[in-house]
């Protein structure tokens, strides 16, 4: 036979539940009383008649187990077996009314509250301090995780580039001309190292740079976004395809151009793509097209103006981006614009730096508006690297901005009064790099 009794007394700091379930023989008759909550709860065994003792109840309520725990306090007990009629009848008589139960479990609520309130306040202060520490530790963990992710991503890309470099070396073989070009490239990079270090610091630590945003399924389908701090209204957007002789291209090569354009309130997306031998020219064109498609579809979420998107390519990137535009135009003629993820009509203008001159000739031959501008006494990399590192006025940058900001008198006025850029590399090193450049 089973007897169940439940009663609740409400206190200021919590609740007491008394639940009775009977089973077993008189020889096994015991009660199990559980004080506290959670991990701090403790169990006390004794005869069930102890539950009717008011001194014991008061002692329990004043024990450290209750005062140390805020919340619900449960007292679970095995009831008196029905095989003891005297004790059972006495128990029933005592709990027949709510007043009888109150007599057996009389507790000075005000006294308990007065004793426990200082401990409760201390515990609240400890909890607040603990939550503050948890928030600080959470922020630290997120920064550490972000740093670890960045280091891991850099290590993975370094391994990939190293492996592809050795694979490329097997294709090219080891010859005198190749070795001399490689040594010239190393010396050229050493001359511009002061500027590269400053640009690298900006690339990794500037809040304007959002690195390695995924735009496709391939490992190299990543792009970097350079977003101006003043991003209260939609900005013009430049989708930049970097150069690298189709074998050493990387999205970080556009960080100097990205920094210059961001300072003039232009959003820049530097698109990475597969290089040879990881991919063919068709793969490079496909990757760049996917990157431009991502920009056209999602740049509004980053504060860009989808109606003012410009494509810029440099060196091999100029060749790849021009192929992207031609291929997209052919696809539009075949299957229609509505069946494609982006359209050439979404591109306001195309700039080919140190490349793409043949493309402009083809455009002019079919009646398209195209212009070729030659810069006197400039090498393949002067316009893109040495001149911006020299500081002062950047002629190529001003020409690009004159097209991007055309029709925007406020932006043109800001360009006119923009301060000159500071020098990144001493002049003697720039002249030396100009002479040894392998490009």
């Amino acid at each position: 036979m089973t007897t169940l009794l439940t009663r609740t007394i409400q206190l200021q700091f919590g609740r007491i539940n008394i639940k009775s379930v009977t089973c077993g023989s008189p020889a096994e008759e015991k009660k199990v009383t559980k004080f506290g909550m959670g991990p701090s709860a403790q169990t006390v065994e004794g005869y069930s008649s102890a539950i009717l003792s008011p001194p014991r109840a008061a002692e329990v309520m004043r024990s450290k187990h209750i005062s140390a725990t805020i919340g619900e306090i449960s007292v679970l007990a095995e009831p008196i077996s029905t095989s003891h009629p005297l004790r059972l009848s006495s128990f029933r008589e005592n709990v027949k009314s709510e007043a009888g139960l109150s007599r057996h479990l009389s507790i000075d609520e005000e006294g308990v509250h007065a004793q426990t309130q200082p401990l409760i306040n201390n515990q609240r202060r400890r909890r607040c301090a603990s939550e503050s520490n948890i928030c600080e530790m959470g922020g630290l963990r997120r920064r550490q995780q972000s740093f670890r992710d960045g280091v891991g991503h850099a290590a993975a890309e370094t391994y990939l580039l190293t492996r592809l470099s050795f694979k490329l070396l097997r294709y090219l073989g080891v010859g005198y001309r190749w070795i001399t070009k490689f040594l010239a490239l190393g010396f050229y990079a050493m001359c511009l190292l002061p500027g590269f270090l400053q640009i690298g610091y900006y690339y990794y630590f500037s809040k304007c740079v959002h690195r390695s945003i995924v735009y496709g399924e391939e490992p190299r389908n990543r792009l970097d976004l350079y977003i101006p701090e003043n991003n209260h209204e939609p900005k013009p957007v430049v989708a930049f395809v970097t150069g690298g002789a189709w074998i050493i291209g990387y999205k970080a090569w556009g960080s100097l151009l990205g920094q210059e354009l961001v300072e003039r309130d232009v959003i820049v997306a530097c698109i990475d793509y597969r290089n040879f031998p990881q991919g063919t020219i068709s793969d490079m064109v496909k990757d760049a097209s996917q990157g431009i498609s991502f920009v056209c579809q999602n740049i509004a979420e980053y504060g860009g103006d989808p109606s003012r998107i410009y494509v810029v390519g440099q060196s091999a990137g100029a060749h790849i981006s021009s192929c992207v535009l031609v291929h997209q135009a052919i696809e539009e003629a075949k299957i229609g614009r509505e069946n494609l993820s982006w359209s050439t009509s979404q591109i306001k203008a195309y700039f080919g730096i140190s490349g793409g001159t043949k493309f402009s000739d083809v455009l002019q031959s079919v009646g398209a508006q195209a212009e070729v501008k030659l810069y006197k006494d400039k090498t393949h990399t002067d316009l893109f690297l040495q001149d911006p590192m020299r500081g002062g006025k950047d002629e190529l940058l001003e020409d690009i901005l004159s097209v991007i900001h055309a029709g925007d008198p406020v932006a043109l006025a800001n360009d006119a009064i923009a301060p000159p850029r500071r020098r990144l590399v001493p002049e003697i090193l720039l002249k030396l790099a100009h002479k040894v450049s392998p490009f």
Side-chain angles (χ1 to χ4, degrees):
M1 181 178 180
T2 302
T3 303
L4 175 62
L5 173 66
T6 302
R7 182 66 65 182
T8 301
I9 297 178
Q10 185 68 37
L11 302 181
Q12 294 184 12
F13 62 93
R15 215 171 38 180
I16 298 178
N17 290 335
I18 304 173
K19 298 182 181 179
S20 301
V21 180
T22 184
C23 62
S25 62
E28 299 173 348
E29 174 195 353
K30 287 188 178 181
K31 85 173 179 67
V32 180
T33 305
K34 190 171 183 181
F35 304 103
M37 292 191 337
S40 62
Q42 295 188 5
T43 301
V44 178
E45 293 186 357
Y47 289 103
S48 58
S49 59
I51 196 172
L52 302 177
S53 172
R56 176 58 177 165
E59 179 185 350
V60 168
M61 293 304 298
R62 295 184 180 90
S63 67
K64 61 181 180 181
H65 306 298
I66 291 180
S67 61
T69 305
I70 301 174
E72 183 177 323
I73 304 173
S74 299
V75 181
L76 304 178
E78 291 186 6
I80 305 171
S81 174
T82 57
S83 60
H84 293 267
L86 294 178
R87 295 165 68 182
L88 179 59
S89 60
S90 175
F91 183 80
R92 288 174 176 171
E93 194 69 19
N94 285 324
V95 299
K96 186 176 295 184
S97 65
E98 186 174 336
L101 181 62
S102 300
R103 284 196 301 272
H104 284 293
L105 296 178
S106 59
I107 297 173
D108 187 355
E109 297 182 8
E110 294 182 0
V112 172
H113 178 70
Q115 293 179 9
T116 59
Q117 191 61 37
L119 294 175
I120 293 174
N121 293 337
N122 291 336
Q123 189 173 22
R124 287 175 179 170
R125 285 193 292 269
R126 288 195 298 269
R127 185 186 297 116
C128 292
S130 176
E131 291 175 355
S132 177
N133 292 335
I134 290 173
C135 292
E136 293 178 0
M137 293 175 62
L140 178 60
R141 290 194 186 100
R142 286 192 294 270
R143 289 193 295 271
Q144 291 175 345
Q145 183 66 32
S146 177
F147 179 76
R148 284 195 296 267
D149 292 343
V151 172
H153 180 69
E157 291 192 347
T158 301
Y159 170 76
L160 176 64
L161 292 175
T162 303
R163 181 170 61 85
L164 293 175
S165 297
F166 281 105
K167 186 175 180 180
L168 178 64
L169 184 61
R170 291 198 300 269
Y171 278 103
L172 297 178
V174 179
Y176 172 77
R177 183 178 179 181
W178 187 89
I179 292 176
T180 54
K181 289 291 185 181
F182 182 78
L183 293 176
L185 176 61
F187 191 68
Y188 172 82
M190 289 297 296
C191 292
L192 301 180
L193 185 60
F196 289 149
L197 292 176
Q198 297 176 68
I199 297 169
Y201 181 85
Y202 173 84
Y203 178 74
Y204 284 104
F205 297 103
S206 174
K207 295 181 180 179
C208 297
V209 184
H210 302 257
R211 301 188 304 275
S212 297
I213 297 174
V214 178
Y215 70 80
E217 298 179 355
E218 295 294 331
R220 294 292 294 272
N221 289 168
R222 305 287 188 273
L223 60 83
D224 296 331
L225 279 180
Y226 297 76
I227 303 177
E229 295 182 0
N230 178 21
N231 202 23
H232 302 306
E233 57 184 13
K235 309 289 184 183
V237 183
V238 165
F240 178 70
V241 183
T242 182
W246 302 274
I247 57 176
I248 58 172
Y250 184 57
K251 55 188 174 61
W253 300 168
S255 55
L256 181 56
L257 178 65
Q259 182 181 6
E260 288 184 302
L261 290 175
V262 159
E263 293 175 353
R264 302 294 185 91
D265 280 345
V266 178
I267 295 177
V268 181
C270 292
I271 301 171
D272 202 7
Y273 54 88
R274 285 171 286 179
N275 292 171
F276 181 82
Q278 188 183 17
T280 63
I281 293 294
S282 298
D283 296 327
M284 301 176 198
V285 171
K286 179 182 177 181
D287 290 350
S289 179
Q290 287 182 339
I292 296 174
S293 173
F294 178 89
V295 171
C296 292
Q297 294 179 12
N298 301 282
I299 200 59
E301 300 177 7
Y302 298 93
D305 187 351
S307 64
R308 291 189 293 168
I309 298 177
Y310 303 83
V311 174
V312 179
Q314 190 266 336
S315 189
H319 166 250
I320 294 171
S321 56
S322 63
C323 291
V324 168
L325 296 175
V326 172
H327 179 267
Q328 194 70 12
I330 294 174
E331 291 298 314
E332 289 178 17
K334 288 182 178 179
I335 62 177
R337 297 177 181 177
E338 62 278 0
N339 298 317
L340 298 173
S341 60
W342 67 283
S343 170
T344 54
S345 61
Q346 295 176 265
I347 307 303
K348 294 279 290 183
Y350 160 78
F351 302 87
I353 305 172
S354 302
T357 54
K358 296 295 183 181
F359 182 49
S360 65
D361 296 338
V362 173
L363 292 176
Q364 290 175 347
S365 65
V366 296
Q369 182 181 358
E371 179 184 355
V372 177
K373 184 173 182 179
L374 302 177
Y375 297 83
K376 187 178 180 181
D377 298 330
K378 300 294 183 181
T379 66
H380 189 72
T381 57
D382 276 341
L383 291 171
F384 187 69
L385 283 177
Q386 288 94 293
D387 286 354
M389 290 185 178
R390 182 173 280 109
K393 184 179 179 180
D394 188 343
E395 188 176 1
L396 174 63
L397 178 67
E398 299 300 330
D399 289 339
I400 294 176
L401 289 173
S402 65
V403 176
I404 294 176
H405 288 158
D408 188 347
V410 176
L412 291 174
N414 291 334
D415 292 338
I417 62 175
R421 288 183 54 81
R422 63 183 182 88
R423 177 183 290 273
L424 302 180
V425 180
E427 186 64 26
I428 186 173
L429 293 179
L430 291 173
K431 292 181 177 180
L432 188 58
H434 175 85
K435 292 183 177 181
V436 302
S437 174
F439 301 105

